[in-house]
Amino acid sequence: MGTKPSHTGISTTASDLEHAAYSPLPGHSSPASPRRPLKGFAGIISSCIFLLALVALILDQSQEPSHKPGKDEAPALTPKATSFSNISGPVARGVAQGVSAKSSPSFSGNELSYNWTNAMFSWQRTAFHFQPQRNWMNDPDGPLYHEGWYHLFYQYNPDSAVWGNITWGHAVSVDLIHWLYLPIAMFPDSWFDWNGVWTGSATILPGGQIVILYTGDTDNYVQVQNLAYPANLSDPLLLDWVKYPGNPVLVPPTGILPKDFRDPTTGWLGPDGKWRITVGSKVNGTGISLVYTTTNFTDYELLDNVLHAVPGTGMWECVDFYPVSINGTKGLDTSAGGPGVKHVLKASLDNTKLDYYALGTYFAENDTWVPDDPEQDVGIGLRYDYGRYYASKTFFDPVKERRILWGWINETDTANDDLAKGWSSLQTIPRTVLYDNNTGTNILQWPVEEVESLRLNSTDFDGVVVEPGSVVELDIGTATQLDILAEFEIESLGLEETNEVNGLCGSGATDRSSFGPFGLLVIADETLSELTPIYFRLANSSDGSLETYFCTDERRSSMASGVFKQVYGSTVPVLDGETLSMRILVDHSIVESFAQGGRRVISSRIYPTEAIYGAARLFLFNNATGVNVKATLKIWQMNSAFIHPFPLDQIH
Ligand code: DQQ
């Protein structure tokens, strides 16, 4: 506490930021070895004592400073003389099957995006985000809590680092941060899911029975909905799953094309005692959410009304539908309703690969949902995350009475990069979701409190003044695993003010105006040849009022020219009397940034070549022309999470 800010004397100007020279680095590595599928179940845990002992062991091990050897002790960056020219492997075939996993923002380079070294690739792996040991992952599936364990399933290709051969990967955790990989829960082994065990959701019935509905891509490439349930509900690990012999339980109804029918939601109970589920689809260009009722999850009735439809939004994937409490501080079970409740409807838009949501009212009498603000409807209004983020799903955590949101973060390098490094994609830090009672227009997303257990030593910076056009280094040592809380005050210099902003976030962090941009440069090297600005900028809107934008500029994040780099952002509500604030989780190649307590979120993937290991630094910057910025920060170094295979062979 109370550590003095370090002013290093670096007086980098805005134009330095724009023109810092790039010097290419040679580098090579060898492809990772292919994954050996997990085999065999050692048994079922039946003893609570054993569970507790195991949990204690995991938590104990997680106290070690780092479980990923070499993460922050920079291995020599000396290139090795291996080339990737012989990389071959399965090609992602999503488009042919009616999904397109690695697209939009599309970068279809067939080559490696850079002369990557092993050290660079190793650095990109995250330390406290969930990702499989190797190969491809996409959507989170069927998250649930059962008998002491949080379960996460995920779309997983056990054979390669590109999409295909999709199974349900499976992992468990006692705290949503430290994870143990389990054997694959479901393989594509039946005609009704021969081409993939696709996305689905879990519903916990009164009495504790768990049912899963998932989309199967049939042997004939038709999208159908299938039912699965645990073979043994008394197994806390839910290792074995039974696919209902009568599958599929739903086939595309009349008027719906065979490749436009997927991703059933968690069920909710209606006033008539029947369950409802909704399934995303489209008719012509209109995104829709079909509603079915059921009493037994094997027989269904399609309702005449859709839950909601928005013209021009295209195919709705991974629809999510859940209540939020207007005045409450707790999450709600999916069947909750009545006064004091609003409903969130979320759709993942296949056309743009973006997750949009809206707040509105659910009318249980006819199973329709109406947005509060039609101009902010699903697909045209708010997004969960303004960065690289897709196919999200929530679940209700009965232990802490909270709703938790998972989201898939894809790579923004090339498919060949992924094949070379042997893995692709990760999940966000799980986020709690609450209604924002102060604005009434958005939800709040915030990293689950358990992530704070990874916080190590912290450094405070009080009122660091950053003058127009300058950069100030924050002396915290290595800056690759951080939890940053930052607040900013601005002090007008009384200069003539011009506040034009070209588009939402301008054309990036080098686009100067009176009131911004200013913020932090994460994963930056000492010479600022690589850096990623996370920033605010204030600008007058057309009606003269001041609007605040929250942005991330990836354009200088890497010297690798072949990775996708973008300026992301959105306006963010700032109410009278509020300070500008952001929280940033830095975890190697992912940066998750939350503005104003989680009103807006931006997740970014970055692949630096220089600003890695001990060379990664953190700076404040102010590219405004008319204001000083005073920043107050608390910054924690973050431990690595314990994410390993479950020691099933030690269970008797
Ligand atoms: N991913 C799954 C589909 C879903 C898509 C296939 C969204 O069920 O629509 O892997 O990323």
Side-chain angles (χ1 to χ4, degrees):
M1 296 286 280
T3 310
K4 261 182 45 210
S6 153
H7 295 259
T8 57
I10 295 175
S11 57
T12 308
T13 64
S15 93
D16 290 335
L17 273 180
E18 192 154 27
H19 300 298
Y22 282 169
S23 49
L25 257 185
H28 311 278
S29 177
S30 42
S33 56
R35 180 179 187 280
R36 200 176 293 155
L38 287 164
K39 278 221 169 88
F41 300 161
I44 293 165
I45 294 178
S46 53
S47 152
C48 291
I49 296 168
F50 172 79
L51 259 181
L52 288 173
L54 191 60
V55 168
L57 172 77
I58 294 158
L59 291 177
D60 184 52
Q61 285 177 299
S62 72
Q63 299 312 310
E64 296 295 319
S66 172
H67 296 282
K68 301 209 167 179
K71 269 287 181 205
D72 287 322
E73 283 72 50
L77 293 180
T78 326
K80 290 189 192 154
T82 312
S83 109
F84 286 117
S85 55
N86 58 353
I87 289 172
S88 62
V91 177
R93 54 195 159 91
V95 176
Q97 282 185 235
V99 291
S100 44
K102 191 144 185 130
S103 68
S104 200
S106 60
F107 188 84
S108 55
N110 289 325
E111 307 294 328
L112 289 183
S113 59
Y114 191 70
N115 252 345
W116 300 108
T117 62
N118 269 338
M120 292 173 189
F121 274 156
S122 310
W123 182 89
Q124 290 170 14
R125 243 189 113 81
T126 64
F128 57 90
H129 281 73
F130 179 81
Q131 53 182 131
Q133 282 178 293
R134 52 187 72 85
N135 291 326
W136 168 270
M137 172 177 67
N138 53 298
D139 320 355
D141 288 319
L144 61 92
Y145 177 85
H146 181 66
E147 303 275 328
W149 294 99
Y150 293 102
H151 291 251
L152 176 66
F153 305 89
Y154 45 94
Q155 297 282 281
Y156 181 58
N157 181 351
D159 300 329
S160 171
V162 293
W163 187 90
N165 185 33
I166 293 293
T167 66
W168 270 38
H170 187 190
V172 287
S173 170
V174 293
D175 62 0
L176 294 161
I177 298 298
H178 306 290
W179 290 91
L180 294 167
Y181 303 116
L182 289 172
I184 286 170
M186 291 193 280
F187 287 91
D189 54 10
S190 309
W191 72 267
F192 51 78
D193 59 15
W194 196 250
N195 283 301
V197 184
W198 287 2
T199 278
S201 307
T203 304
I204 317 270
L205 308 185
Q209 176 61 50
I210 298 168
V211 292
I212 282 201
L213 288 172
Y214 71 92
T215 299
D217 194 24
T218 70
D219 53 356
N220 211 12
Y221 298 103
V222 176
Q223 293 170 13
V224 298
Q225 314 314 324
N226 299 317
L227 171 64
Y229 37 86
N232 178 4
L233 207 54
S234 65
D235 170 15
L237 298 182
L238 300 175
L239 289 172
D240 295 320
W241 290 83
V242 177
K243 294 177 185 171
Y244 172 59
N247 279 333
V249 293
L250 286 171
V251 299
T254 309
I256 298 296
L257 295 175
K259 290 184 178 171
D260 294 340
F261 183 58
R262 56 187 181 267
D263 310 334
T265 61
T266 294
W268 70 96
L269 267 175
D272 56 3
K274 291 183 186 170
W275 290 94
R276 273 87 175 131
I277 58 147
T278 179
V279 180
S281 186
K282 71 170 180 197
V283 172
N284 300 321
T286 297
I288 62 171
S289 198
L290 303 162
V291 185
Y292 292 86
T293 60
T294 181
T295 52
N296 53 13
F297 285 87
T298 56
D299 305 295
Y300 295 81
E301 190 183 332
L302 175 63
L303 300 188
D304 292 338
N305 286 333
V306 292
L307 182 68
H308 193 56
V310 182
T313 54
M315 175 68 198
W316 283 11
E317 296 185 310
C318 305
V319 170
D320 201 9
F321 184 61
Y322 56 89
V324 285
S325 168
I326 292 176
N327 286 309
T329 52
K330 291 186 185 303
L332 297 176
D333 197 354
T334 312
S335 297
V341 166
K342 280 191 185 293
H343 273 78
V344 173
L345 178 60
K346 186 274 306 191
S348 303
L349 300 198
D350 193 22
N351 287 351
T352 53
K353 289 286 182 282
L354 299 172
D355 274 23
Y356 281 87
Y357 79 96
L359 286 158
T361 304
Y362 167 56
F363 295 96
E365 57 275 17
N366 64 356
D367 291 294
T368 56
W369 174 93
V370 175
D372 287 350
D373 177 359
E375 287 181 13
Q376 297 288 308
D377 205 342
V378 179
I380 58 174
L382 295 174
R383 287 166 50 188
Y384 273 168
D385 191 308
Y386 288 80
R388 184 67 157 163
Y389 181 94
Y390 196 58
S392 59
K393 187 175 294 299
T394 63
F395 77 107
F396 177 66
D397 169 12
V399 182
K400 294 200 170 180
E401 293 183 84
R402 56 188 174 169
R403 182 157 289 273
I404 292 173
L405 170 67
W406 284 103
W408 163 44
I409 310 285
N410 203 341
E411 305 294 315
T412 50
D413 57 4
T414 64
N416 263 22
D417 290 344
D418 298 343
L419 288 168
K421 70 189 179 196
W423 59 271
S424 178
S425 302
L426 49 109
Q427 303 291 336
T428 56
I429 291 296
R431 303 168 183 170
T432 54
V433 174
L434 287 172
Y435 173 74
D436 185 352
N437 207 16
N438 291 325
T439 61
T441 56
N442 54 274
I443 58 163
L444 295 171
Q445 299 173 58
W446 202 244
V448 292
E449 61 187 9
E450 288 88 337
V451 76
E452 294 164 26
S453 68
L454 297 177
R455 287 173 172 173
L456 299 170
N457 55 307
S458 65
T459 311
D460 290 290
F461 298 88
D462 282 327
V464 185
V465 176
V466 195
E467 293 175 351
S470 69
V471 169
V472 175
E473 183 168 356
L474 296 167
D475 189 8
I476 54 158
T478 305
T480 53
Q481 293 178 209
L482 301 175
D483 188 351
I484 304 168
L485 289 177
E487 290 192 346
F488 300 90
E489 291 170 65
I490 54 175
E491 177 190 284
S492 171
L493 296 174
L495 305 171
E496 200 180 330
E497 287 163 5
T498 50
N499 273 315
E500 308 84 38
V501 173
N502 311 316
L504 276 175
C505 289
S507 44
T510 47
D511 182 9
R512 306 184 68 179
S513 64
S514 276
F515 294 157
F518 55 84
L520 284 146
L521 305 177
V522 301
I523 308 288
D525 64 323
E526 200 70 48
T527 62
L528 299 180
S529 60
E530 290 179 326
L531 49 86
T532 300
I534 319 281
Y535 58 96
F536 288 114
R537 67 184 307 153
L538 281 56
N540 290 109
S541 60
S542 47
D543 67 1
S545 62
L546 210 54
E547 281 209 279
T548 304
Y549 298 88
F550 180 56
C551 319
T552 295
D553 180 354
E554 292 177 344
R555 293 172 309 153
R556 308 302 307 267
S557 60
S558 172
M559 287 191 269
S561 55
V563 298
F564 193 84
K565 292 173 251 178
Q566 200 174 337
V567 179
Y568 293 120
S570 146
T571 55
V572 55
V574 182
L575 304 182
D576 283 350
E578 287 184 347
T579 310
L580 292 174
S581 66
M582 59 171 85
R583 179 172 180 189
I584 306 174
L585 294 174
V586 178
D587 185 9
H588 298 259
S589 60
I590 179 167
V591 180
E592 281 185 80
S593 308
F594 302 78
Q596 301 307 113
R599 286 183 189 142
R600 296 292 189 274
V601 187
I602 302 172
S603 295
S604 208
R605 295 304 306 279
I606 54 177
Y607 308 93
T609 61
E610 297 260 334
I612 56 178
Y613 298 102
R617 292 278 175 272
L618 180 68
F619 297 82
L620 285 164
F621 82 100
N622 177 10
N623 254 346
T625 54
V627 291
N628 277 339
V629 170
K630 208 154 81 167
T632 297
L633 306 99
K634 189 172 186 76
I635 303 165
W636 288 266
Q637 295 287 344
M638 293 292 272
N639 206 343
S640 302
F642 182 92
I643 305 178
H644 287 276
F646 199 107
L648 287 174
D649 52 352
Q650 288 168 31
I651 298 172
H652 304 292

